[in-house]
Amino acid sequence: MSSRDAVPEWINPLRDERDKRLPRIAGPCSVVIFGVTGDLARKKLLPAVYDLASRGLLPPGFGLVGFGRRDWSHEDFAAEALKSIRDHARTPFREHVWEQLCSGMRFVNSSFGDADGYQRLTETLAELDSSRGTAGNHAFYLSIPPSAFPVVLEQLCGSGLANGTGSQWRRVIIEKPFGHDLASAKELNKIVNNVFGEDSVFRIDHYLGKETVQNILALRFANQLFDPLLNAHYVDHVQITMAEDIGLGGRAGYYDGIGAARDVIQNHLIQLLAMIAMEEPVSFSSREVRTEKVKVLSATKLVQPLDETTARGQYSAGWQGAEPVVGLLEEAGFSPESTTETYAAITVDVQTRRWAGVPFFLRTGKRLGRRVTEVAVVFKRAPHLPFDATMTEDLGQNALVIRVQPDEGVTMRFGSKVPGSSMEVRDVNMDFNYGEAFTESSPEAYERLILDVLLGFPSWFPINEEVELSWEILDPVLERWAADGKPEAYESGGWGPESANEMLRRTGREWRRP
């Protein structure tokens, strides 16, 4: 084809890097997973890597290295990975995809503190650079307990693996929890940033990779219908809920002493608050999105007094559906004297011009009535001037409900006339459901976030300041609860302790029953 026959650049979408409809494909790189033998790697990380490869979003020469204490060969690691992928991958298994991925898989047998193991890792990555063309670009995924972070980071630094040369990049991915209070979070951030610059640190909060969470920004800022109403003139309050119907059997080693507030509110729920309350960013670049989130968190304050505006509980025996279940204190591994809360609720104000005076109620719990995560924006009542009381007695408050999981979508609740000869108004729902509106299935959160790491796109990863501001919000609650003794018991299968209901009743409100 001559130059005269060439397709003009202005009509060629493949030449326009700003066209967000095109898939973003990672460049030459490899991922090293520390803790690759754990549940997270087996159930989430390895399947997510395969799904990315299956969708054609990884380079042909991609490298995947497992680092752990198992006495495995490269072939043993590949066999274990294959089992995980067959059991947990989202996309169909295809032999040619697996063969391409498998040819770049390696395993390094070592403890986290063994310098010789990191020398072998250096040699393995150099071999992948040569044989697979990974170009010296490597991401280190720390799927390990936070107590092991310092030793791994020290070894990555001492071995030179944390530093690329020229255009090479090195990135680190850190799983939550990011500390257990503000002081420990600051210390952890200092340790990490002594080895990796903040631009190379990706703190995973898998909730931020969910399609419905990212849709909050699209819903608000791509539609004139919603955002003009999301302010103190129209909104009565906001409820952010993450409820689970499962208990904690088998998780005592992680959960006891951590509790629901540290496990969920500090990260997931406060991040959801930031996204529903932030102002419109100048663009969706990582810097602009993070800037607006930091502004919100800086303006977020606990409502006092904490005895009346927070609640905590611990599930006792009861029924989950048709099955009898034991209480936390009877679960294996938990002390009969444990004061770990399995339910936590707090009240905060976002002290900005948009939200001043609108309470945000955040709650999470185990062994509740059903599994659901949602953000409910509840509007002020209309004055009903043309209606008498009998016409609207069955009418509640309008609400915009963003359903994060498991029934992903959006519900609008509003009043409508009941068919008939009289004027009677009753609540109705209008639903948008992801599964019905779109033919393509949503990628898993880890799938999306791992790809964002490889692309160097950090918008959905909390930075130091976000983490520390979240702890600043929560720390006074944790300190108060630590001085209060045991949390209140609540029956499994219900919706939490009575103190949580009283917390809202004092304000003339009620919790939603999702």
Side-chain angles (χ1 to χ4, degrees), residues 101-134:
L101 184 63
C102 178
S103 62
M105 296 178 70
R106 307 288 188 271
F107 187 77
V108 175
N109 166 239
S110 176
S111 65
F112 295 149
D114 182 7
D116 290 340
Y118 292 82
Q119 179 58 39
R120 293 194 296 275
L121 177 59
T122 301
E123 295 166 358
T124 299
L125 293 177
E127 182 268 319
L128 286 172
D129 288 343
S130 174
S131 65
R132 302 283 291 177
T134 50

Side-chain angles (χ1 to χ4, degrees), residues 47 135 155 164 171 217 253 348 370 374 393 406 419 421 424 438 490 493:
Q155 292 291 346
R171 296 167 185 155
L217 301 189
V348 297
R370 60 168 295 201
E374 67 172 33
E393 61 185 357
S421 57
E424 181 185 355
F438 298 108
Y490 64 93

Side-chain angles (χ1 to χ4, degrees), residues 145-185:
S147 59
F149 289 172
V151 66
V152 172
L153 290 165
E154 179 183 355
Q155 292 291 346
L156 288 174
C157 181
S159 63
L161 283 167
N163 302 311
T165 59
S167 62
Q168 296 175 349
W169 55 255
R170 304 293 165 90
R171 296 167 185 155
V172 65
I173 310 168
I174 300 175
E175 277 285 341
K176 75 175 184 73
F178 313 123
H180 62 271
D181 58 15
L182 178 58
S184 61

Side-chain angles (χ1 to χ4, degrees), residues 235-239 358-359 361 376-379 397 504 509-510:
V235 176
D236 179 77
H237 70 279
V238 179
Q239 296 185 24
V358 177
F361 302 106
V377 180
V378 182
F379 291 89
Q397 291 170 270
L504 260 70
R509 301 175 176 93
E510 296 284 343

Side-chain angles (χ1 to χ4, degrees), residues 6 13 23 35 106 117 124 182 225 310 319 332 376 404 486:
R106 307 288 188 271
T124 299
L182 178 58
L225 175 63
T310 71
W319 291 82
V404 176
K486 281 196 171 185

